[in-house]
């Protein structure tokens, strides 16, 4: 009978006890998801890769202090997001680098249509325009699905601050992405040419 695979907590405990392979297995389990979080937060693939490396080094060193008060994935998310924010603060105003259509180790699903890819790119671009203090909570709450309380712990801010930053960020996203909900809103707006074509000869307009 095959033995059950170790849990994330088991791997952390084994690593802290000196197992040389436990942390590598943990990284293999969660690297792709942590990479996606880093890329959405930092926007620059090179910066995201460096932030992820910094995060895993920090996690490697801090694993002995893990107290199982939260899930291992939540603990890793907190470390990755903090590493990303540290890098963003250090680089400050560096020009935005567009995100690739599919990230590292993120193969497109067979059912992914052109419209879905275009929508994904629009959402990513909209996220990239948010200030970092609003983007990080939006990524964690709305993209990764963490609760406000969990996000507050990860970012080291109050729950009310998470809510207010998410609200402001969502408001900005709604302005940029509103046409995705109601595409007819744009289609029904008369263009300059359509207005001219709609004028009747001799109507006296423009005179």
């Amino acid at each position: 009978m095959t033995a059950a695979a170790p849990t994330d907590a088991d791997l952390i405990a084994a690593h802290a006890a000196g197992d040389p392979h436990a942390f590598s297995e943990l990284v293999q389990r969660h690297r792709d998801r942590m990479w996606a979080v880093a890329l959405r937060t930092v926007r620059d693939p090179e910066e995201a890769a460096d932030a992820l490396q910094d995060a895993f080094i920090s996690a490697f060193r801090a694993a002995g202090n893990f107290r199982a008060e939260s899930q291992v994935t939540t603990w890793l998310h907190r470390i990755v997001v903090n590493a990303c924010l540290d890098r963003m603060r250090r680089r400050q105003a560096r020009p935005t680098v567009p995100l690739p259509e599919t990230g590292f180790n993120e193969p497109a699903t067979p059912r992914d249509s052109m419209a879905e890819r275009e929508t994904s790119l629009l959402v990513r671009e909209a996220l990239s325009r948010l200030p970092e203090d609003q983007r990080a909570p939006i990524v964690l709450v709305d993209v990764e699905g963490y609760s406000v309380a969990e996000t507050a712990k990860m970012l080291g801010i109050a729950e009310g601050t998470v809510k207010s930053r998410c609200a402001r960020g969502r408001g900005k996203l709604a302005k940029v992405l509103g046409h995705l909900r109601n595409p007819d809103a744009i289609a029904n707006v008369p263009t300059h040419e359509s207005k001219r074509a709609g004028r009747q000869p001799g109507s006296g307009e423009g005179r």
Side-chain angles (χ1 to χ4, degrees):
M1 185 174 178
T2 305
T7 65
D8 291 345
D10 291 338
L11 290 175
I12 286 287
H15 168 67
D19 186 329
H21 306 295
F23 193 79
S24 294
E25 184 173 343
L26 189 71
V27 169
Q28 289 300 316
R29 284 185 185 181
H30 301 294
R31 181 180 179 85
D32 287 356
R33 186 175 181 185
M34 297 302 131
W35 163 256
V37 171
L39 189 57
R40 291 188 188 105
T41 306
V42 178
R43 298 175 290 163
D44 181 334
E46 291 185 8
E47 288 285 337
D50 289 341
L52 191 61
Q53 180 176 334
D54 291 345
F56 280 134
I57 290 173
S58 296
F60 183 91
R61 294 172 176 171
N65 298 323
F66 180 71
R67 294 290 177 264
E69 296 175 353
S70 61
Q71 293 185 351
V72 172
T73 51
T74 302
W75 176 73
L76 286 174
H77 268 77
R78 182 187 305 124
I79 294 175
V80 170
V81 170
N82 285 335
C84 289
L85 294 178
D86 285 344
R87 282 200 161 266
M88 290 167 69
R89 293 185 189 105
R90 288 201 296 268
R91 76 178 184 176
Q92 294 181 348
R94 181 178 296 181
T96 300
V97 177
L99 288 172
E101 186 170 308
T102 53
F104 178 73
N105 283 342
E106 289 183 19
T109 59
R111 64 182 181 84
D112 195 14
S113 67
M114 180 64 73
E116 289 174 331
R117 289 196 294 271
E118 290 177 353
T119 298
S120 177
L121 287 172
L122 287 171
V123 172
R124 291 185 183 187
E125 176 60 24
L127 280 171
S128 75
R129 297 179 186 180
L130 294 178
E132 69 174 67
D133 65 335
Q134 294 172 17
R135 183 167 62 252
I138 287 283
V139 167
L140 289 171
V141 175
D142 292 342
V143 179
E144 294 301 316
Y146 283 97
S147 68
V148 170
E150 290 171 326
T151 300
K153 289 181 180 179
M154 289 185 202
L155 300 179
I157 57 180
E159 292 183 25
T161 303
V162 172
K163 292 178 181 178
S164 63
R165 290 179 180 178
C166 282
R168 290 198 298 272
R170 288 168 188 152
K172 293 176 182 178
L173 291 177
K175 292 179 180 178
V176 177
L177 301 174
H179 64 283
L180 295 180
R181 290 186 175 182
N182 186 17
D184 293 336
I186 292 180
N188 291 333
V189 175
T191 63
H192 178 67
E193 293 299 321
S194 66
K195 288 179 179 178
R196 292 177 58 188
R199 292 177 181 173
Q200 298 296 323
S203 64
E205 289 185 53
R207 294 180 182 176

